[in-house]
Amino acid sequence: MSLDPPPFDPELAACLESNKDVITPGLAPDEIAPAREETNADLAGLLDLLDLTTNGAFAFEDRAVPGPEGAPEVSLLVCRPKSAGAGASLPVIYYVHGGGMVLGTNRAGVDGALNWALELGAVVVSVEYRLAPEHPYPAQIDDVYAGFRWTAAHAGEIGGDPDRIVVAGSSAGAGLGAALALLLRDRQGPPAIGQLLMSPMLDDHNDTVSGRQMTGIGVWDRTANETAWTAVLGDRRGGPDVPPYASPARADDLSGLPPALLDVGSAETFRDEVVTYASRIWQAGGDAELHVWPGGFHGFDTFAPHTALARAARAAQLTWLTRLLDR
């Protein structure tokens, strides 16, 4: 079997080439701390440019809500449309940030969710979770679950509808979103009406063809993936006793889940595990829409939003959300 990687979309390839001095696809364990410092510095700079009000359309606040038993509080960024009057009952986008479960904050990537919310008239709640390796599994999903439970219980006070909450996330955040959907099903609520999973990180085995094809290439490769999963799971990574709430691909049963949109590039590490996950949802009688964007690298729609492929992906995400909320 050939391990030649699929070609990048020409526009995206040009973006990678022009940023080759600052983008490295791999991540070693001893690079997590420096990567955090760099990411936080970059994010601090972006926050100066990031308008959480979206030109005055949203009011935002940080909420510290009860975390898992015996754990710290969970930080939620709540962004509510200013046009919503008292007693509003709007859809809620519960957003989970990416970063391999080793990087990131609840500000990372939230601008994409705010753009959807602007079109849909929705509230955005973005959750911050504890990071590995300092906080291994189940810290991440426990925090995400605690934040979701608070959001559902207090939806009314933030202008939201507890019966119209959509889970959304990117990369590791999308993997945590998939895990959250499993957990909500198994614990019988509170309900989520859909799961929007962009390039989800689903499988700790890290042994797919796409993973091997993209070694040393793109934005997030097999080495980075191994580092991140090992930070979360330690010696359990790839072994027989990893639970599905850590690695959703481990779930034996994918029935009874809310409708899903799974979104991935053809030229990225996660391609094969995402395609397999969507197929298994269908095989279980579930509702899934799958997009494999030709020539897309990991996170291309965030990294290069001006490109034609990124615009098409964002439009498809908004179309799916609109259709979901119109049901």
Side-chain angles (χ1 to χ4, degrees):
M1 178 184 297
S2 171
L3 289 180
D4 292 336
F8 291 121
D9 170 86
E11 269 192 295
L12 295 178
C15 290
L16 284 178
E17 178 62 24
S18 64
N19 289 276
K20 63 183 179 181
D21 294 334
V22 295
I23 293 178
T24 55
L27 180 71
D30 61 359
E31 294 174 330
I32 291 175
R36 275 188 198 161
E37 292 180 7
E38 182 177 348
T39 300
N40 290 341
D42 290 344
L43 185 59
L46 288 173
L47 286 176
D48 291 336
L49 304 174
L50 177 61
D51 178 13
L52 291 173
T53 74
T54 313
N55 291 321
F58 292 90
F60 69 91
E61 61 175 321
D62 289 288
R63 291 280 188 107
V65 307
E69 184 175 355
E73 291 181 316
V74 172
S75 175
L76 300 178
L77 170 66
V78 179
C79 302
R80 176 180 177 175
K82 286 186 177 179
S83 59
S89 187
L90 304 176
V92 179
I93 299 170
Y94 184 76
Y95 183 76
V96 191
H97 71 81
M101 293 181 276
V102 298
L103 307 169
T105 74
N106 59 17
R107 263 62 173 172
V110 74
D111 53 323
L114 286 170
N115 288 334
W116 300 326
L118 186 65
E119 296 290 335
L120 298 168
V123 177
V124 172
V125 178
S126 182
V127 59
E128 189 155 323
Y129 51 86
R130 287 169 289 168
L131 301 175
E134 295 87 347
H135 304 285
Y137 173 84
Q140 296 75 36
I141 187 61
D142 281 355
D143 288 353
V144 170
Y145 177 66
F148 186 90
R149 287 192 63 189
W150 184 92
T151 300
H154 296 264
E157 71 182 69
I158 60 172
D161 182 347
D163 295 321
R164 289 194 296 163
I165 305 177
V166 183
V167 176
S170 178
S171 191
L176 286 165
L180 177 62
L182 291 167
L183 198 60
L184 296 175
R185 178 200 65 183
D186 295 345
R187 295 182 180 176
Q188 301 183 331
I193 64 168
Q195 46 181 331
L196 198 168
L197 311 177
M198 299 176 291
S199 297
M201 181 179 174
L202 297 167
D203 193 350
D204 66 290
H205 286 104
N206 196 31
D207 61 359
T208 60
V209 172
S210 59
R212 293 192 290 273
Q213 284 180 316
M214 302 308 297
T215 301
I217 302 171
V219 173
W220 183 267
D221 75 353
R222 193 180 182 202
T223 300
N225 208 35
E226 180 174 341
T227 294
W229 277 117
T230 302
V232 174
L233 294 172
D235 293 341
R236 299 169 70 186
R237 186 195 67 79
D241 63 342
V242 173
Y245 311 129
S247 177
R250 300 289 195 129
D252 294 327
D253 178 13
L254 295 183
S255 65
L257 296 172
L261 173 65
L262 296 105
D263 204 270
V264 72
S266 68
E268 71 158 291
T269 298
F270 295 150
R271 181 196 67 218
D272 292 351
E273 62 197 70
V274 173
V275 171
T276 297
Y277 200 77
S279 296
R280 291 185 57 217
I281 292 176
W282 295 322
Q283 290 162 8
D287 181 344
E289 180 174 324
L290 171 67
H291 293 271
V292 182
W293 297 100
F297 56 73
H298 184 64
F300 70 90
D301 55 329
T302 299
F303 180 80
H306 61 284
T307 61
L309 201 68
R311 292 197 302 272
R314 288 289 178 170
Q317 293 156 9
L318 181 59
T319 297
W320 181 86
L321 282 167
T322 302
R323 189 169 64 249
L324 178 74
L325 293 172
D326 284 346
R327 290 183 181 182

PDB file of all heavy atoms in Angstrom, residues 138-163:
ATOM      1  N   PRO A 138      -9.744  11.317  33.652  1.00  0.00           N
ATOM      2  CA  PRO A 138     -10.895  11.894  32.938  1.00  0.00           C
ATOM      3  C   PRO A 138     -11.100  13.388  33.156  1.00  0.00           C
ATOM      4  O   PRO A 138     -12.229  13.876  33.003  1.00  0.00           O
ATOM      5  CB  PRO A 138     -12.061  11.113  33.546  1.00  0.00           C
ATOM      6  CG  PRO A 138     -11.658  10.948  34.989  1.00  0.00           C
ATOM      7  CD  PRO A 138     -10.154  10.751  34.960  1.00  0.00           C
ATOM      8  N   ALA A 139     -10.067  14.133  33.500  1.00  0.00           N
ATOM      9  CA  ALA A 139     -10.249  15.543  33.843  1.00  0.00           C
ATOM     10  C   ALA A 139     -10.939  16.315  32.719  1.00  0.00           C
ATOM     11  O   ALA A 139     -11.839  17.135  32.981  1.00  0.00           O
ATOM     12  CB  ALA A 139      -8.901  16.176  34.172  1.00  0.00           C
ATOM     13  N   GLN A 140     -10.524  16.082  31.485  1.00  0.00           N
ATOM     14  CA  GLN A 140     -11.051  16.872  30.369  1.00  0.00           C
ATOM     15  C   GLN A 140     -12.556  16.636  30.179  1.00  0.00           C
ATOM     16  O   GLN A 140     -13.349  17.576  30.176  1.00  0.00           O
ATOM     17  CB  GLN A 140     -10.303  16.540  29.061  1.00  0.00           C
ATOM     18  CG  GLN A 140      -8.826  16.905  29.074  1.00  0.00           C
ATOM     19  CD  GLN A 140      -7.983  15.952  29.885  1.00  0.00           C
ATOM     20  OE1 GLN A 140      -8.242  14.735  29.904  1.00  0.00           O
ATOM     21  NE2 GLN A 140      -6.966  16.479  30.560  1.00  0.00           N
ATOM     22  N   ILE A 141     -12.964  15.390  30.031  1.00  0.00           N
ATOM     23  CA  ILE A 141     -14.380  15.116  29.791  1.00  0.00           C
ATOM     24  C   ILE A 141     -15.208  15.421  31.031  1.00  0.00           C
ATOM     25  O   ILE A 141     -16.361  15.856  30.929  1.00  0.00           O
ATOM     26  CB  ILE A 141     -14.587  13.658  29.305  1.00  0.00           C
ATOM     27  CG1 ILE A 141     -16.050  13.436  28.889  1.00  0.00           C
ATOM     28  CG2 ILE A 141     -14.166  12.656  30.354  1.00  0.00           C
ATOM     29  CD1 ILE A 141     -16.530  14.315  27.763  1.00  0.00           C
ATOM     30  N   ASP A 142     -14.652  15.235  32.208  1.00  0.00           N
ATOM     31  CA  ASP A 142     -15.391  15.589  33.429  1.00  0.00           C
ATOM     32  C   ASP A 142     -15.719  17.084  33.456  1.00  0.00           C
ATOM     33  O   ASP A 142     -16.828  17.489  33.827  1.00  0.00           O
ATOM     34  CB  ASP A 142     -14.579  15.218  34.670  1.00  0.00           C
ATOM     35  CG  ASP A 142     -14.658  13.736  35.006  1.00  0.00           C
ATOM     36  OD1 ASP A 142     -15.413  13.001  34.339  1.00  0.00           O
ATOM     37  OD2 ASP A 142     -13.940  13.317  35.943  1.00  0.00           O
ATOM     38  N   ASP A 143     -14.744  17.918  33.075  1.00  0.00           N
ATOM     39  CA  ASP A 143     -14.978  19.362  33.058  1.00  0.00           C
ATOM     40  C   ASP A 143     -15.998  19.742  31.981  1.00  0.00           C
ATOM     41  O   ASP A 143     -16.879  20.588  32.204  1.00  0.00           O
ATOM     42  CB  ASP A 143     -13.670  20.111  32.813  1.00  0.00           C
ATOM     43  CG  ASP A 143     -12.730  20.073  34.007  1.00  0.00           C
ATOM     44  OD1 ASP A 143     -13.137  19.581  35.083  1.00  0.00           O
ATOM     45  OD2 ASP A 143     -11.578  20.528  33.863  1.00  0.00           O
ATOM     46  N   VAL A 144     -15.861  19.134  30.807  1.00  0.00           N
ATOM     47  CA  VAL A 144     -16.785  19.422  29.706  1.00  0.00           C
ATOM     48  C   VAL A 144     -18.209  19.011  30.086  1.00  0.00           C
ATOM     49  O   VAL A 144     -19.175  19.733  29.821  1.00  0.00           O
ATOM     50  CB  VAL A 144     -16.312  18.712  28.422  1.00  0.00           C
ATOM     51  CG1 VAL A 144     -17.366  18.775  27.327  1.00  0.00           C
ATOM     52  CG2 VAL A 144     -15.007  19.333  27.925  1.00  0.00           C
ATOM     53  N   TYR A 145     -18.332  17.865  30.732  1.00  0.00           N
ATOM     54  CA  TYR A 145     -19.647  17.393  31.178  1.00  0.00           C
ATOM     55  C   TYR A 145     -20.223  18.310  32.257  1.00  0.00           C
ATOM     56  O   TYR A 145     -21.407  18.670  32.214  1.00  0.00           O
ATOM     57  CB  TYR A 145     -19.518  15.967  31.695  1.00  0.00           C
ATOM     58  CG  TYR A 145     -20.792  15.376  32.268  1.00  0.00           C
ATOM     59  CD1 TYR A 145     -21.899  15.137  31.460  1.00  0.00           C
ATOM     60  CD2 TYR A 145     -20.881  15.049  33.621  1.00  0.00           C
ATOM     61  CE1 TYR A 145     -23.065  14.594  31.991  1.00  0.00           C
ATOM     62  CE2 TYR A 145     -22.047  14.500  34.155  1.00  0.00           C
ATOM     63  CZ  TYR A 145     -23.134  14.280  33.328  1.00  0.00           C
ATOM     64  OH  TYR A 145     -24.285  13.744  33.849  1.00  0.00           O
ATOM     65  N   ALA A 146     -19.397  18.719  33.206  1.00  0.00           N
ATOM     66  CA  ALA A 146     -19.871  19.614  34.264  1.00  0.00           C
ATOM     67  C   ALA A 146     -20.346  20.941  33.673  1.00  0.00           C
ATOM     68  O   ALA A 146     -21.386  21.482  34.082  1.00  0.00           O
ATOM     69  CB  ALA A 146     -18.760  19.857  35.289  1.00  0.00           C
ATOM     70  N   GLY A 147     -19.589  21.474  32.722  1.00  0.00           N
ATOM     71  CA  GLY A 147     -19.998  22.723  32.081  1.00  0.00           C
ATOM     72  C   GLY A 147     -21.294  22.583  31.309  1.00  0.00           C
ATOM     73  O   GLY A 147     -22.129  23.491  31.300  1.00  0.00           O
ATOM     74  N   PHE A 148     -21.470  21.438  30.655  1.00  0.00           N
ATOM     75  CA  PHE A 148     -22.704  21.217  29.899  1.00  0.00           C
ATOM     76  C   PHE A 148     -23.899  21.107  30.839  1.00  0.00           C
ATOM     77  O   PHE A 148     -24.964  21.664  30.575  1.00  0.00           O
ATOM     78  CB  PHE A 148     -22.593  19.948  29.053  1.00  0.00           C
ATOM     79  CG  PHE A 148     -23.777  19.729  28.145  1.00  0.00           C
ATOM     80  CD1 PHE A 148     -23.783  20.245  26.868  1.00  0.00           C
ATOM     81  CD2 PHE A 148     -24.881  19.020  28.581  1.00  0.00           C
ATOM     82  CE1 PHE A 148     -24.878  20.071  26.027  1.00  0.00           C
ATOM     83  CE2 PHE A 148     -25.985  18.834  27.761  1.00  0.00           C
ATOM     84  CZ  PHE A 148     -25.981  19.359  26.484  1.00  0.00           C
ATOM     85  N   ARG A 149     -23.715  20.382  31.938  1.00  0.00           N
ATOM     86  CA  ARG A 149     -24.820  20.238  32.893  1.00  0.00           C
ATOM     87  C   ARG A 149     -25.248  21.604  33.429  1.00  0.00           C
ATOM     88  O   ARG A 149     -26.443  21.881  33.561  1.00  0.00           O
ATOM     89  CB  ARG A 149     -24.414  19.320  34.041  1.00  0.00           C
ATOM     90  CG  ARG A 149     -24.333  17.854  33.681  1.00  0.00           C
ATOM     91  CD  ARG A 149     -24.208  16.991  34.916  1.00  0.00           C
ATOM     92  NE  ARG A 149     -25.389  17.123  35.764  1.00  0.00           N
ATOM     93  CZ  ARG A 149     -25.479  16.616  36.997  1.00  0.00           C
ATOM     94  NH1 ARG A 149     -24.442  15.978  37.539  1.00  0.00           N
ATOM     95  NH2 ARG A 149     -26.579  16.757  37.710  1.00  0.00           N
ATOM     96  N   TRP A 150     -24.269  22.464  33.748  1.00  0.00           N
ATOM     97  CA  TRP A 150     -24.603  23.798  34.229  1.00  0.00           C
ATOM     98  C   TRP A 150     -25.356  24.573  33.145  1.00  0.00           C
ATOM     99  O   TRP A 150     -26.373  25.239  33.431  1.00  0.00           O
ATOM    100  CB  TRP A 150     -23.349  24.561  34.635  1.00  0.00           C
ATOM    101  CG  TRP A 150     -23.671  25.898  35.227  1.00  0.00           C
ATOM    102  CD1 TRP A 150     -23.859  26.200  36.548  1.00  0.00           C
ATOM    103  CD2 TRP A 150     -23.906  27.126  34.499  1.00  0.00           C
ATOM    104  NE1 TRP A 150     -24.182  27.529  36.686  1.00  0.00           N
ATOM    105  CE2 TRP A 150     -24.224  28.119  35.456  1.00  0.00           C
ATOM    106  CE3 TRP A 150     -23.867  27.461  33.148  1.00  0.00           C
ATOM    107  CZ2 TRP A 150     -24.494  29.433  35.084  1.00  0.00           C
ATOM    108  CZ3 TRP A 150     -24.161  28.769  32.778  1.00  0.00           C
ATOM    109  CH2 TRP A 150     -24.460  29.746  33.732  1.00  0.00           C
ATOM    110  N   THR A 151     -24.876  24.486  31.911  1.00  0.00           N
ATOM    111  CA  THR A 151     -25.505  25.210  30.808  1.00  0.00           C
ATOM    112  C   THR A 151     -26.958  24.781  30.631  1.00  0.00           C
ATOM    113  O   THR A 151     -27.844  25.627  30.449  1.00  0.00           O
ATOM    114  CB  THR A 151     -24.709  24.978  29.516  1.00  0.00           C
ATOM    115  OG1 THR A 151     -23.366  25.463  29.698  1.00  0.00           O
ATOM    116  CG2 THR A 151     -25.344  25.688  28.334  1.00  0.00           C
ATOM    117  N   ALA A 152     -27.216  23.481  30.673  1.00  0.00           N
ATOM    118  CA  ALA A 152     -28.583  22.994  30.517  1.00  0.00           C
ATOM    119  C   ALA A 152     -29.461  23.430  31.687  1.00  0.00           C
ATOM    120  O   ALA A 152     -30.617  23.842  31.497  1.00  0.00           O
ATOM    121  CB  ALA A 152     -28.578  21.470  30.390  1.00  0.00           C
ATOM    122  N   ALA A 153     -28.918  23.376  32.895  1.00  0.00           N
ATOM    123  CA  ALA A 153     -29.709  23.725  34.082  1.00  0.00           C
ATOM    124  C   ALA A 153     -29.969  25.218  34.184  1.00  0.00           C
ATOM    125  O   ALA A 153     -30.973  25.642  34.768  1.00  0.00           O
ATOM    126  CB  ALA A 153     -29.000  23.225  35.340  1.00  0.00           C
ATOM    127  N   HIS A 154     -29.067  26.036  33.643  1.00  0.00           N
ATOM    128  CA  HIS A 154     -29.168  27.488  33.787  1.00  0.00           C
ATOM    129  C   HIS A 154     -29.396  28.183  32.447  1.00  0.00           C
ATOM    130  O   HIS A 154     -29.169  29.396  32.328  1.00  0.00           O
ATOM    131  CB  HIS A 154     -27.894  28.032  34.440  1.00  0.00           C
ATOM    132  CG  HIS A 154     -27.673  27.537  35.837  1.00  0.00           C
ATOM    133  ND1 HIS A 154     -28.056  28.253  36.951  1.00  0.00           N
ATOM    134  CD2 HIS A 154     -27.126  26.381  36.294  1.00  0.00           C
ATOM    135  CE1 HIS A 154     -27.746  27.567  38.042  1.00  0.00           C
ATOM    136  NE2 HIS A 154     -27.186  26.424  37.667  1.00  0.00           N
ATOM    137  N   ALA A 155     -29.862  27.428  31.452  1.00  0.00           N
ATOM    138  CA  ALA A 155     -30.042  28.003  30.119  1.00  0.00           C
ATOM    139  C   ALA A 155     -30.944  29.234  30.160  1.00  0.00           C
ATOM    140  O   ALA A 155     -30.683  30.242  29.482  1.00  0.00           O
ATOM    141  CB  ALA A 155     -30.611  26.955  29.165  1.00  0.00           C
ATOM    142  N   GLY A 156     -31.996  29.169  30.939  1.00  0.00           N
ATOM    143  CA  GLY A 156     -32.938  30.284  30.991  1.00  0.00           C
ATOM    144  C   GLY A 156     -32.305  31.582  31.422  1.00  0.00           C
ATOM    145  O   GLY A 156     -32.638  32.655  30.877  1.00  0.00           O
ATOM    146  N   GLU A 157     -31.372  31.529  32.354  1.00  0.00           N
ATOM    147  CA  GLU A 157     -30.789  32.779  32.856  1.00  0.00           C
ATOM    148  C   GLU A 157     -29.772  33.382  31.902  1.00  0.00           C
ATOM    149  O   GLU A 157     -29.392  34.550  32.056  1.00  0.00           O
ATOM    150  CB  GLU A 157     -30.165  32.567  34.238  1.00  0.00           C
ATOM    151  CG  GLU A 157     -28.900  31.763  34.271  1.00  0.00           C
ATOM    152  CD  GLU A 157     -28.397  31.570  35.695  1.00  0.00           C
ATOM    153  OE1 GLU A 157     -29.039  30.844  36.470  1.00  0.00           O
ATOM    154  OE2 GLU A 157     -27.335  32.150  36.006  1.00  0.00           O
ATOM    155  N   ILE A 158     -29.337  32.631  30.894  1.00  0.00           N
ATOM    156  CA  ILE A 158     -28.424  33.190  29.885  1.00  0.00           C
ATOM    157  C   ILE A 158     -29.139  33.379  28.546  1.00  0.00           C
ATOM    158  O   ILE A 158     -28.497  33.609  27.520  1.00  0.00           O
ATOM    159  CB  ILE A 158     -27.166  32.310  29.707  1.00  0.00           C
ATOM    160  CG1 ILE A 158     -27.522  30.894  29.257  1.00  0.00           C
ATOM    161  CG2 ILE A 158     -26.343  32.283  30.986  1.00  0.00           C
ATOM    162  CD1 ILE A 158     -26.312  30.043  28.879  1.00  0.00           C
ATOM    163  N   GLY A 159     -30.475  33.269  28.564  1.00  0.00           N
ATOM    164  CA  GLY A 159     -31.257  33.494  27.348  1.00  0.00           C
ATOM    165  C   GLY A 159     -31.347  32.292  26.442  1.00  0.00           C
ATOM    166  O   GLY A 159     -31.719  32.425  25.265  1.00  0.00           O
ATOM    167  N   GLY A 160     -31.008  31.113  26.958  1.00  0.00           N
ATOM    168  CA  GLY A 160     -30.984  29.920  26.133  1.00  0.00           C
ATOM    169  C   GLY A 160     -32.149  28.987  26.385  1.00  0.00           C
ATOM    170  O   GLY A 160     -32.870  29.099  27.376  1.00  0.00           O
ATOM    171  N   ASP A 161     -32.306  28.049  25.466  1.00  0.00           N
ATOM    172  CA  ASP A 161     -33.342  27.024  25.537  1.00  0.00           C
ATOM    173  C   ASP A 161     -32.673  25.705  25.898  1.00  0.00           C
ATOM    174  O   ASP A 161     -31.850  25.195  25.128  1.00  0.00           O
ATOM    175  CB  ASP A 161     -34.036  26.914  24.181  1.00  0.00           C
ATOM    176  CG  ASP A 161     -35.172  25.897  24.155  1.00  0.00           C
ATOM    177  OD1 ASP A 161     -35.274  25.087  25.099  1.00  0.00           O
ATOM    178  OD2 ASP A 161     -35.937  25.894  23.174  1.00  0.00           O
ATOM    179  N   PRO A 162     -32.974  25.117  27.045  1.00  0.00           N
ATOM    180  CA  PRO A 162     -32.306  23.877  27.450  1.00  0.00           C
ATOM    181  C   PRO A 162     -32.599  22.701  26.531  1.00  0.00           C
ATOM    182  O   PRO A 162     -31.882  21.700  26.555  1.00  0.00           O
ATOM    183  CB  PRO A 162     -32.854  23.625  28.859  1.00  0.00           C
ATOM    184  CG  PRO A 162     -34.164  24.346  28.901  1.00  0.00           C
ATOM    185  CD  PRO A 162     -33.986  25.556  28.044  1.00  0.00           C
ATOM    186  N   ASP A 163     -33.631  22.817  25.708  1.00  0.00           N
ATOM    187  CA  ASP A 163     -33.978  21.740  24.778  1.00  0.00           C
ATOM    188  C   ASP A 163     -33.406  21.954  23.390  1.00  0.00           C
ATOM    189  O   ASP A 163     -33.706  21.186  22.468  1.00  0.00           O
ATOM    190  CB  ASP A 163     -35.503  21.598  24.688  1.00  0.00           C
ATOM    191  CG  ASP A 163     -36.123  21.161  26.007  1.00  0.00           C
ATOM    192  OD1 ASP A 163     -35.511  20.311  26.686  1.00  0.00           O
ATOM    193  OD2 ASP A 163     -37.193  21.689  26.370  1.00  0.00           O
TER     194      ASP A 163
END
